[in-house]
């Protein structure tokens, strides 16, 4: 019996040592890997401090790029695909702290964003990516805080990074990818892609239990921007017609009501709802839910009306 206990203890210790050496080794190999969020904050730190208009949001905001407005061409786009309201709030805090010439902040908020978060959609690795810049995460558990300190886990344990590096693969790394990557899925016709995107955003990733939490976060954003004397413009981006056909109508209405409740409770915000706006046609989009240059120009015109 004593021998079995000793063997078990030795095996347990050997496993702990192996895991420690493995993580240590992976951390050494991943120490210079850069994530999308590293690029996002690098953009905030290194862009012109005389920026007058900042755009924040997910890939729908990212699709706007830095298209000039009549009122100003000093624009910074600090958006990244899949970003939720909690992390958009972190980005806004950083932008407000660093861009002292800022006059306007445009925040893109899809209806479904009111029922969405990175943590509940199994994207904790992205939550970890923000930690080194903000000292906070949605999941502040001890385990997640430890992993947030390690670049291996911030890169979601993606072994393809090493494969690409050691095989000189031509597959681009995150360093060369567009920060505002638009997730176009090749090999699908427009209709099936529309169905997939609409169901993903309004059903699969939507959780109505998150509405109170996201309402609170959005309210805090409105207050934060107002205190900095920056004009906030909240924009609900348009979609291609087929997106509306497949979107979950009940969830959409619930989320819309939630968003409207928050926005209209604040006097210091301009609100532009372009969802189902009939002035947008199918040829204004690059895919079911991201505007192309023609669509972006139309969105710019709508936003410009509130920049007096």
């Amino acid at each position: 019996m004593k021998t079995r206990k000793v063997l078990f203890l030795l095996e347990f210790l050997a496993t702990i040592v192996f895991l420690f050496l493995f993580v240590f080794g992976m951390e050494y190999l991943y120490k210079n890997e850069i994530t999308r969020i590293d690029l996002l904050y690098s953009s905030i730190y290194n862009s012109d401090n005389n920026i007058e208009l900042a755009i924040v949001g997910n890939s729908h905001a990212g699709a706007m790029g830095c298209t000039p407005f009549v009122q100003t061409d000093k624009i910074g786009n600090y958006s990244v695909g899949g970003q939720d309201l909690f992390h958009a709030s972190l980005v806004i805090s950083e932008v407000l702290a660093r861009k002292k010439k800022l006059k306007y902040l445009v925040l893109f908020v899809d209806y479904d964003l009111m029922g969405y978060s990175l943590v509940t959609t199994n994207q904790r690795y992205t939550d970890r990516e923000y930690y080194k810049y903000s000292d906070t995460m949605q999941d502040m558990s001890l385990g997640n805080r430890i992993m947030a300190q390690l670049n291996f886990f911030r890169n979601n344990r993606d072994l393809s990074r090493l494969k690409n590096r050691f095989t000189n693969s031509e597959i681009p790394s995150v360093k060369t990818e567009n920060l505002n990557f638009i997730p176009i899925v090749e090999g699908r016709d427009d209709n099936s892609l529309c169905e997939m995107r609409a169901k993903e955003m309004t059903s699969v990733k939507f959780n109505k239990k998150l509405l109170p939490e996201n309402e609170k976060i959005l309210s805090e954003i409105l207050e934060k921007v107002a205190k900095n004397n920056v004009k906030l413009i909240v924009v609900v981006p348009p979609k291609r017609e087929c997106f509306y056909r497949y979107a979950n109508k009940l969830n959409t209405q619930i989320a819309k009501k939630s968003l409207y409740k928050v926005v209209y409770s604040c006097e210091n915000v301009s609100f532009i709802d372009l969802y189902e706006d009939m002035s947008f046609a199918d040829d204004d989009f690059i895919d079911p839910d991201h505007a192309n240059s023609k669509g972006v120009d139309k969105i710019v015109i709508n936003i410009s009306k509130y920049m007096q």
Side-chain angles (χ1 to χ4, degrees):
M1 182 65 70
K2 185 176 180 180
T3 302
R4 289 183 180 179
K5 288 183 178 180
V6 171
L7 288 174
F8 174 79
L9 180 60
L10 289 174
E11 290 176 355
F12 177 76
L13 291 175
T15 301
I16 295 297
V17 170
F18 171 78
L19 291 175
F20 175 80
L21 292 175
F22 175 79
V23 172
F24 180 82
M26 289 295 102
E27 184 62 16
Y28 176 79
L29 292 172
Y30 278 78
K31 64 181 180 179
N32 295 321
E33 289 294 332
I34 298 173
T35 72
R36 294 183 311 148
I37 307 307
D38 292 330
L39 290 176
L40 174 62
Y41 275 87
S42 177
S43 176
I44 297 173
Y45 296 161
N46 298 318
S47 57
D48 189 348
N49 285 329
N50 293 318
I51 280 172
E52 297 178 336
L53 185 150
I55 300 172
V56 178
N58 55 22
S59 60
H60 301 140
M64 295 288 293
C66 292
T67 304
F69 285 67
V70 173
Q71 293 85 349
T72 181
D73 61 356
K74 297 177 180 178
I75 298 169
N77 194 321
Y78 308 113
S79 307
V80 65
Q83 188 163 243
D84 59 14
L85 284 173
F86 178 89
H87 296 89
S89 179
L90 300 180
V91 170
I92 289 171
S93 293
E94 196 69 43
V95 171
L96 291 173
R98 291 179 176 271
K99 310 302 178 184
K100 298 303 183 181
K101 302 289 186 180
L102 198 66
K103 297 179 180 178
Y104 310 99
L105 194 147
V106 179
L107 175 64
F108 276 59
V109 183
D110 299 85
Y111 293 157
D112 54 89
L113 211 60
M114 300 301 294
Y116 166 77
S117 83
L118 291 174
V119 169
T120 60
T121 52
N122 198 29
Q123 299 178 79
R124 279 182 171 80
Y125 69 94
T126 304
D127 190 30
R128 295 177 202 125
E129 292 179 49
Y130 289 82
Y131 188 57
K132 67 184 289 186
Y133 304 104
S134 62
D135 292 325
T136 187
M137 296 180 289
Q138 279 184 303
D139 178 3
M140 286 294 285
S141 63
L142 178 60
N144 210 41
R145 278 183 285 152
I146 292 173
M147 287 190 284
Q149 306 285 343
L150 303 172
N151 225 28
F152 175 52
F153 292 102
R154 292 180 72 248
N155 281 273
N156 197 28
R157 299 158 292 184
D158 185 0
L159 297 179
S160 67
R161 299 282 182 87
L162 297 183
K163 178 182 177 182
N164 294 341
R165 188 196 307 168
F166 293 124
T167 61
N168 295 317
S169 172
E170 294 182 359
I171 300 174
S173 69
V174 71
K175 296 179 183 179
T176 57
E177 285 177 1
N178 184 344
L179 177 65
N180 302 314
F181 173 69
I182 298 173
I184 300 173
V185 180
E186 297 181 359
R188 291 178 178 267
D189 60 63
D190 285 348
N191 193 64
S192 64
L193 180 56
C194 262
E195 182 176 8
M196 182 195 76
R197 288 290 293 167
K199 289 182 177 179
E200 175 188 7
M201 293 169 62
T202 65
S203 293
V204 177
K205 291 184 176 180
F206 185 85
N207 184 348
K208 63 182 180 182
K209 292 181 181 179
L210 294 173
L211 294 174
E213 177 184 343
N214 282 325
E215 287 173 8
K216 183 175 182 291
I217 293 170
L218 183 56
S219 293
E220 290 171 351
I221 291 174
L222 303 187
E223 293 175 8
K224 181 165 41 183
V225 176
K227 287 180 180 178
N228 281 268
N229 296 315
V230 173
K231 182 174 179 58
L232 177 63
I233 304 171
V234 175
V235 179
V236 180
K239 307 288 191 295
R240 187 174 277 177
E241 189 278 330
C242 62
F243 183 97
Y244 306 128
R245 189 187 319 142
Y246 292 108
N248 184 306
K249 301 297 189 294
L250 177 59
N251 287 344
T252 298
Q253 285 302 313
I254 291 172
K256 178 180 180 179
K257 183 178 179 181
S258 174
L259 173 59
Y260 272 58
K261 180 175 71 174
V262 177
V263 171
Y264 284 116
S265 68
C266 180
E267 297 179 356
N268 302 313
V269 58
S270 296
F271 183 48
I272 307 171
D273 189 351
L274 301 177
Y275 193 84
E276 293 187 303
D277 188 304
M278 299 305 293
S279 66
F280 287 86
D282 281 359
D283 62 0
D284 291 321
F285 300 90
I286 195 170
D287 68 1
D289 53 308
H290 295 91
N292 58 22
S293 58
K294 182 182 173 185
V296 166
D297 288 341
K298 288 185 178 182
I299 296 173
V300 165
I301 290 171
N302 278 278
I303 295 173
S304 294
K305 298 174 184 177
Y306 294 85
M307 293 175 59
Q308 305 304 324

